[in-house]
Amino acid sequence: MSRARQPPLVTGISPNEGAPWTKVTIRGENLGTGPNDLIGLSICGHNCLLTAEWMSASKIVCRVGPAKDDKGEIIVTTRSGGQGTSTVSFKLLKPERIGILDQSAVWLDELNYYDMRTDRNKGISPLSLRPANPLGIEIDKGKVPLKDLENMFPSMSGDFTSENFSATWYLIENHSSTSFEQLRAAVGNLKKQASKKNEGSLAYVKGGLSTFFEAQDALAAIHQKLESDGTEKVEGSMTQRLENVLNRASETADTLFQEVLGRKDKADSTRNALNVLQRFKFLFNLPLNIERNIQKGDYDIVINDYEKAKSLFGNTEVPVFKKVYSEVETRIEALRKLLLDKLLETPSTLHDQKRYIRYLSDLHAPGDPAWQCIVAQHKWILQLMQNCKEDLIKEQKVGGVDLELDRSSALNRISLSAPVKRGGSFQTPKDDSWHYKSPQQVRFVEKLSDVVISQLPNFWKLWISYVNGSLFSETGEKSGQVEKLKKNARQRQNDFKGMIEEVTRRLVQLVRGALLPSSLTEQQLRQYGGWNTKTPLRGAWLTQVIHTVRLSHEALSALEIPNDLLQVIQDLLQDLRVHCLLTTLQHTEEDVKRLAEKEDWVVDNEGITSLPAQFEQCMVQMLQSLKEPMECKPGEINIFNLDVVQDKACEQCVSIMKVFIKCLEHLSTKTDGEIGTSHLSVDLASPDLFGGIQKDFGSKPEQRLIILSNCQYLERHTFLNLAEHLEKNGFTTAEKIIRVQRHIWFLIPLFKPFLNLKKHEHDSLIYLFSFPFSLSDSGVRSYLKEALVSIISVHAEVFTVSKELVSRVLSKIIEAVAEEMSRLMQCVSSFSKNGALQARLEICALRDAIELYLTSESLTSFKQALEALPQLQSGADKKLLEELLNKFKSSMKLQLNCFKPASFQPVKR
């Protein structure tokens, strides 16, 4: 069967894109002969016949339905032409989601309405109805881990609904691979959305403008028809009925939507409240957050939140905001008090102090918390120093036993029990005796020094931070408050200087009270004294104290504290060094006094005992112990440059040597019973101190000879060595030591009894020289020979002890004998001829026999003795005298050989 007309052809559509329910105008050819001829219309596969309105064979108006395809053809079907074709297409846009209470110019599919209600019933917040893709472009999730994003953007969020939204985070997370062109398109989408929101109701009117026009046309047609009928004001007329219908429709609509509108108003109020809470949740949650962060100690977070709240709501007039903000201020005030209490709490670290001060500064705390902290720390340091003294004095009293005597005896054992070897090392041997408890005063100074070194540096650093302003701002930013606080700090410089002076003065006075009580007044002694000073500290302990005080001074100097504030410590060090010097010399003198008890009378091959070496060792050990305290550290003076100190030290050194000479004198004058068996011939360093006792000692004269030998060694070696040591260590005592050497030969007169003639022999000699007699053939008489034998005996004894001592001892003895002979010759009132010759013979014989040991004094005595004799007149007398002398020398040649020079050769050492 053939068709009468051609199939419909669609050649245009306006608009060519749009959302569902968009009204479009279709134009073409053979679109039908009338409304009844149109039997089909589809756009993008959706049947639109229900809304189609046939206008003419070339025009149809309809609304686009919700098609499945995004883009498709427009197909028109007529009875006369059948199914047609299309040369154009329509693009269906996705519709915006409209809420159930939003304005809309078209009727919405109920499905969408119920979908939204279903979504809301699932608990979705109205805020979540915002678009999930605000840029309107394809989302491309990147591979950057969420943890890395959190580290890159702390305290921020990639959620665009969050207050802390970060656009950079969002782009990295969702569009890391998006091209630049797409991002430009996204910017256009954002601008469209912004302009759409700004248009508001006007956009709604534009979107539904055609609907309004249709309604207007319908109302105008009705109005025109009513006017033509003339029934618009007649009761029961169509107009009246229409009005009643409309009024009932309005009332019905109001009734239907009253509950909905009520819920809408309530929802709007709730939404507004939620929006306020969401928008200002920071303020509403701040009081609780402050409490939680204070408990956790996160004061930085509290301060930052408070600053933010203060800048936003500090001057607000909104009642609810003012109420919440007042609650915040109450908690901040409590925090200020808490931080101030923590700041003034002791003990505390410098880091915590700075932290609390900065917190209080950021919180605008009243007053000056930094200065309050400095004052509190100053009082705390002084209290710690005073507690050191009180604790140790209390411990000293509780102990009840003074261990100082034990300490002194232990030090004595250490200093006197070292091996005695000349030329060897004088190092003090290690001994368990050192491992006893140190004296209370020493431990007090160490503890006091620890307090100062541990507390004062932080105290000084706190002040420096206070002055330069770094205490109030880590970044060094200059604000009005910081500058004001720095100005306050500069005004308090004198007050802080007084604090440092008080600390250093208290340190010095406490040390003086423990070690130098004589340098304090009675009032100061009552406050800083109270120590048991019956037994003074020895030099070793004082050296340790000086070392401790020096460490304190060095630690404080390293802080760049002005020198004038530390001068009192330098003065203390000077007094301690002088005290150490004089105390060490005094204790050395006491140690030297006890050296006589160590004499063992064991003679070495040089004819001396260990006593000189012990004395030299004692002195060298004393000088070694003084090396550290006498050393001049930076800022210290050489105390030997002080005339008073030098004089006292030199006098003390000379006194030590005189004390040692007194010890030798004491040994030489001991009775045999005193010498007894108390002398030990064992090594003093041996553990068996009483392991052996020498029983066979020489006679007392032999011990005197040993002492003389020791004296000679002292004169020739020990004293000279000591003078050199003392000069090297700053003592100017060489001349005084040389003068002291004159005192060491006090023992020579002890040997006079060897040759003293008995009184009855004196009388007989005087009578013999004056009585006429014939000259004996034997020549020299026996008394003189006995005298020579006695001298030879002394020679032998001295030679046995020390060869070098022979000349000195015999010279002194010859002087005594010559003086005695001169006295005897002067006692004779008159000589007979033979008596004068006999006296001349004996004087010359004695003089020639001991010629090797004659001194100027003995020669003078012999000359005086010969001058007292009558001169020889005849040559026969002279010849006889010469013969008798030769006979004497020949007969006693063997005995006189000991007086020959060859018999006294120096022994090589």
Side-chain angles (χ1 to χ4, degrees):
M1 175 178 180
S2 59
R3 295 186 178 89
R5 298 182 65 83
Q6 294 292 326
L9 176 64
V10 177
T11 59
I13 185 171
S14 177
N16 60 0
E17 63 178 7
W21 310 116
T22 301
K23 188 175 182 179
V24 296
T25 300
I26 301 171
R27 299 184 183 277
E29 299 175 358
N30 302 319
L31 298 182
T33 59
N36 295 329
D37 190 40
L38 183 65
I39 60 174
L41 176 62
S42 65
I43 300 176
C44 296
H46 186 270
N47 188 5
C48 300
L49 183 62
L50 182 62
T51 60
E53 182 178 357
W54 185 87
M55 305 298 292
S56 66
S58 59
K59 178 180 178 181
I60 297 175
V61 177
C62 71
R63 290 186 181 275
V64 180
K68 295 180 180 180
D69 299 328
D70 293 340
K71 189 173 184 181
E73 295 180 342
I74 301 95
I75 304 299
V76 178
T77 305
T78 62
R79 287 191 179 91
S80 60
Q83 184 174 348
T85 58
S86 175
T87 61
V88 296
S89 63
F90 183 84
K91 183 178 180 180
L92 186 66
L93 301 179
K94 292 183 179 180
E96 295 184 4
R97 198 165 191 178
I98 300 175
I100 58 174
L101 299 178
D102 290 341
Q103 295 177 339
S104 176
V106 296
W107 185 263
L108 298 179
D109 191 347
E110 294 294 330
L111 177 62
N112 292 333
Y113 169 73
Y114 287 109
D115 285 346
M116 293 181 61
R117 294 193 60 179
T118 304
D119 291 342
R120 291 189 60 186
N121 290 337
K122 291 181 180 179
I124 298 178
S125 170
L127 295 176
S128 65
L129 296 178
R130 297 177 181 178
N133 184 8
L135 298 183
I137 59 178
E138 185 178 357
I139 293 177
D140 181 12
K141 291 286 185 179
K143 298 181 180 181
V144 181
L146 181 62
K147 188 174 183 180
D148 292 347
L149 290 172
E150 292 176 350
N151 294 332
M152 292 169 59
F153 305 98
S155 304
M156 304 300 287
S157 173
D159 182 6
F160 62 88
T161 64
S162 173
E163 289 185 353
N164 300 325
F165 171 68
S166 171
T168 308
W169 183 339
Y170 179 82
L171 289 176
I172 293 174
E173 182 181 10
N174 297 287
H175 300 283
S176 59
S177 301
T178 303
S179 65
F180 181 72
E181 294 299 328
Q182 289 179 311
L183 291 176
R184 291 183 63 179
V187 173
N189 293 338
L190 287 175
K191 290 181 178 179
K192 289 180 180 179
Q193 293 179 22
S195 62
K196 188 177 294 185
K197 289 182 180 179
N198 293 333
E199 289 175 0
S201 298
L202 181 60
Y204 159 73
V205 172
K206 288 182 178 179
L209 191 59
S210 60
T211 305
F212 283 113
F213 286 158
E214 291 176 358
Q216 176 65 26
D217 291 343
L219 291 175
I222 294 173
H223 180 70
Q224 184 178 4
K225 187 175 183 180
L226 291 176
E227 279 187 345
S228 62
D229 293 342
T231 59
E232 66 275 13
K233 294 182 180 180
V234 180
E235 186 67 26
S237 65
M238 178 181 167
T239 303
Q240 186 67 41
R241 291 197 301 273
L242 180 59
E243 181 180 358
N244 293 336
V245 170
L246 292 177
N247 287 335
R248 286 196 301 272
S250 176
E251 292 175 0
T252 303
D254 290 341
T255 303
L256 291 174
F257 287 92
Q258 187 65 42
E259 182 180 357
V260 175
L261 294 176
R263 287 200 301 269
K264 178 181 181 300
D265 293 340
K266 186 176 181 181
D268 290 341
S269 300
T270 303
R271 187 179 298 106
N272 291 335
L274 289 174
N275 287 334
V276 170
L277 290 175
Q278 181 69 18
R279 182 178 177 184
F280 301 104
K281 65 179 179 180
F282 162 74
L283 176 63
F284 294 112
N285 295 335
L286 188 56
L288 181 60
N289 290 336
I290 289 176
E291 290 291 339
R292 290 175 178 173
N293 290 325
I294 289 177
Q295 292 177 1
K296 292 189 295 184
D298 294 335
Y299 303 119
D300 288 307
I301 298 176
V302 174
I303 294 172
N304 291 335
D305 290 347
Y306 172 66
E307 288 294 335
K308 183 178 179 181
K310 185 175 182 181
S311 63
L312 294 175
F313 307 101
N315 299 321
T316 184
E317 297 296 333
V318 179
V320 64
F321 291 166
K322 291 177 67 175
K323 182 178 180 180
V324 177
Y325 184 74
S326 65
E327 187 69 23
V328 171
E329 285 288 357
T330 302
R331 283 166 170 75
I332 292 298
E333 185 61 33
L335 177 60
R336 291 192 187 105
K337 185 177 183 306
L338 173 65
L339 292 175
L340 184 61
D341 292 341
K342 287 181 174 292
L343 176 63
L344 302 181
E345 188 180 68
T346 53
S348 62
T349 63
L350 177 63
H351 173 73
D352 288 341
Q353 291 170 358
K354 288 184 175 181
R355 195 159 55 95
Y356 294 141
I357 291 173
R358 193 171 293 116
Y359 290 155
L360 290 169
S361 174
D362 293 340
L363 291 174
H364 306 284
D368 193 346
W371 181 251
Q372 290 177 271
C373 178
I374 291 174
V375 173
Q377 286 299 307
H378 174 247
K379 293 180 179 178
W380 168 249
I381 293 173
L382 294 179
Q383 186 62 45
L384 284 179
M385 296 169 69
Q386 194 66 26
N387 290 345
C388 288
K389 168 180 170 290
E390 294 174 358
D391 293 344
L392 284 174
I393 288 183
K394 183 178 179 181
E395 180 181 335
Q396 188 180 42
K397 293 179 180 179
V398 171
V401 178
D402 190 8
L403 301 177
E404 197 64 34
L405 293 176
D406 295 338
R407 300 189 188 102
S408 299
S409 61
L411 285 173
N412 291 337
R413 291 196 300 271
I414 293 169
S415 60
L416 297 178
S417 63
V420 181
K421 294 181 181 179
R422 291 191 308 280
S425 174
F426 294 110
Q427 296 294 330
T428 303
K430 292 185 179 179
D431 191 278
D432 291 339
S433 302
W434 283 106
H435 302 295
Y436 53 80
K437 197 175 184 182
S438 57
Q440 295 283 1
Q441 292 97 318
V442 177
R443 290 195 291 130
F444 163 68
V445 174
E446 291 176 348
K447 189 174 181 181
L448 186 64
S449 177
D450 290 341
V451 169
V452 173
I453 291 177
S454 63
Q455 298 295 330
L456 200 56
N458 289 339
F459 184 60
W460 177 260
K461 292 175 183 177
L462 182 65
W463 163 256
I464 295 300
S465 301
Y466 179 53
V467 171
N468 61 29
S470 63
L471 197 61
F472 312 107
S473 174
E474 291 181 344
T475 59
E477 60 182 6
K478 293 183 178 180
S479 64
Q481 183 186 12
V482 172
E483 291 301 318
K484 180 180 179 181
L485 292 172
K486 288 170 64 176
K487 182 179 179 181
N488 293 340
R490 288 191 292 269
Q491 293 175 350
R492 292 189 166 119
Q493 285 185 350
N494 291 333
D495 295 336
F496 182 78
K497 182 178 179 181
M499 291 180 179
I500 295 293
E501 287 178 346
E502 185 175 2
V503 171
T504 54
R505 185 171 60 251
R506 180 70 59 87
L507 168 67
V508 169
Q509 289 173 337
L510 287 171
V511 175
R512 289 183 181 274
L515 301 174
L516 302 172
S518 60
S519 63
L520 298 178
T521 63
E522 293 185 3
Q523 181 179 358
Q524 291 174 335
L525 204 56
R526 284 193 295 270
Q527 183 177 359
Y528 305 112
W531 298 91
N532 182 4
T533 56
K534 294 180 181 178
T535 305
L537 294 179
R538 294 186 68 90
W541 295 123
L542 290 174
T543 299
Q544 185 173 341
V545 169
I546 292 172
H547 178 72
T548 302
V549 177
R550 277 175 171 169
L551 289 179
S552 300
H553 183 269
E554 291 173 2
L556 299 182
S557 298
L559 299 173
E560 299 182 356
I561 296 177
N563 291 330
D564 57 332
L565 299 180
L566 303 178
Q567 186 58 42
V568 289
I569 302 181
Q570 286 283 18
D571 297 339
L572 171 65
L573 280 170
Q574 178 177 320
D575 293 346
L576 285 175
R577 293 166 65 204
V578 173
H579 180 61
C580 178
L581 171 64
L582 300 180
T583 300
T584 301
L585 292 174
Q586 291 173 2
H587 287 146
T588 302
E589 182 177 337
E590 295 173 2
D591 295 339
V592 170
K593 285 181 182 179
R594 291 190 288 270
L595 284 179
E597 303 171 1
K598 302 293 182 179
E599 180 59 271
D600 56 6
W601 303 107
V602 176
V603 181
D604 61 10
N605 57 358
E606 297 179 9
I608 61 175
T609 65
S610 62
L611 204 58
Q614 290 186 19
F615 172 62
E616 185 176 355
Q617 179 187 19
C618 187
M619 293 295 290
V620 172
Q621 283 182 340
M622 178 266 291
L623 293 176
Q624 287 180 341
S625 67
L626 288 175
K627 187 174 182 180
E628 180 181 352
M630 296 303 104
E631 182 183 2
C632 292
K633 298 291 184 180
E636 297 179 356
I637 64 171
N638 185 354
I639 62 174
F640 287 115
N641 293 338
L642 303 175
D643 294 338
V644 177
V645 177
Q646 184 67 257
D647 293 343
K648 288 183 179 181
C650 293
E651 290 174 4
Q652 195 70 42
C653 289
V654 172
S655 176
I656 291 173
M657 296 181 181
K658 289 182 178 180
V659 165
F660 184 63
I661 294 175
K662 289 289 184 183
C663 290
L664 297 177
E665 184 179 2
H666 176 68
L667 287 174
S668 66
T669 56
K670 276 187 176 181
T671 62
D672 293 337
E674 290 176 322
I675 296 174
T677 59
S678 63
H679 310 293
L680 310 179
S681 59
V682 296
D683 186 358
L684 294 178
S686 172
D688 186 8
L689 190 59
F690 303 98
I693 300 178
Q694 180 145 348
K695 299 180 180 179
D696 297 328
F697 297 98
S699 62
K700 191 172 183 182
E702 179 183 353
Q703 293 170 349
R704 290 174 180 166
L705 287 173
I706 294 174
I707 294 174
L708 283 178
S709 179
N710 288 341
C711 289
Q712 177 175 265
Y713 187 84
L714 287 171
E715 180 189 30
R716 295 185 178 180
H717 298 90
T718 305
F719 280 4
L720 296 179
N721 291 341
L722 290 180
E724 183 179 354
H725 284 302
L726 290 170
E727 288 286 350
K728 288 181 179 179
N729 288 273
F731 293 84
T732 57
T733 55
E735 296 180 359
K736 296 182 180 180
I737 291 176
I738 293 173
R739 291 198 296 269
V740 172
Q741 292 179 352
R742 301 172 185 173
H743 298 279
I744 66 176
W745 293 108
F746 60 88
L747 295 174
I748 299 300
L750 297 175
F751 293 90
K752 286 184 179 180
F754 281 117
L755 304 173
N756 278 350
L757 301 176
K758 297 180 181 178
K759 192 175 185 304
H760 67 276
E761 292 178 350
H762 297 177
D763 298 337
S764 63
L765 284 173
I766 293 172
Y767 174 74
L768 179 61
F769 290 143
S770 61
F771 185 76
F773 65 94
S774 60
L775 195 63
S776 172
D777 294 336
S778 60
V780 177
R781 289 175 292 179
S782 59
Y783 87 92
L784 186 60
K785 295 178 181 179
E786 291 177 359
L788 286 172
V789 171
S790 297
I791 294 175
I792 292 171
S793 176
V794 173
H795 180 283
E797 291 183 10
V798 176
F799 188 85
T800 303
V801 175
S802 175
K803 300 179 181 67
E804 295 182 355
L805 190 61
V806 172
S807 177
R808 192 158 208 166
V809 172
L810 290 187
S811 297
K812 293 293 182 181
I813 293 176
I814 298 303
E815 287 178 2
V817 173
E819 182 183 356
E820 185 68 13
M821 292 297 289
S822 175
R823 187 184 66 80
L824 288 176
M825 295 302 106
Q826 293 173 5
C827 289
V828 179
S829 57
S830 64
F831 288 89
S832 64
K833 180 181 179 181
N834 291 337
L837 184 60
Q838 182 72 36
R840 188 176 292 278
L841 170 65
E842 292 172 350
I843 292 174
C844 291
L846 177 60
R847 183 193 62 188
D848 294 344
I850 58 176
E851 182 180 4
L852 184 65
Y853 305 107
L854 291 178
T855 63
S856 60
E857 288 81 3
S858 57
L859 285 172
T860 300
S861 297
F862 280 122
K863 182 179 179 182
Q864 291 175 353
L866 291 173
E867 289 175 350
L869 300 176
Q871 299 295 322
L872 296 177
Q873 301 298 327
S874 64
D877 291 340
K878 293 180 179 179
K879 183 177 181 181
L880 178 60
L881 177 62
E882 185 176 354
E883 290 176 355
L884 291 174
L885 279 174
N886 290 334
K887 182 181 179 181
F888 164 73
K889 293 177 181 179
S890 177
S891 63
M892 294 194 69
K893 180 178 180 179
L894 180 63
Q895 289 83 355
L896 298 179
N897 275 337
C898 67
F899 299 134
K900 297 298 182 180
S903 65
F904 184 67
Q905 295 296 332
V907 180
K908 293 184 179 179
R909 294 184 179 277

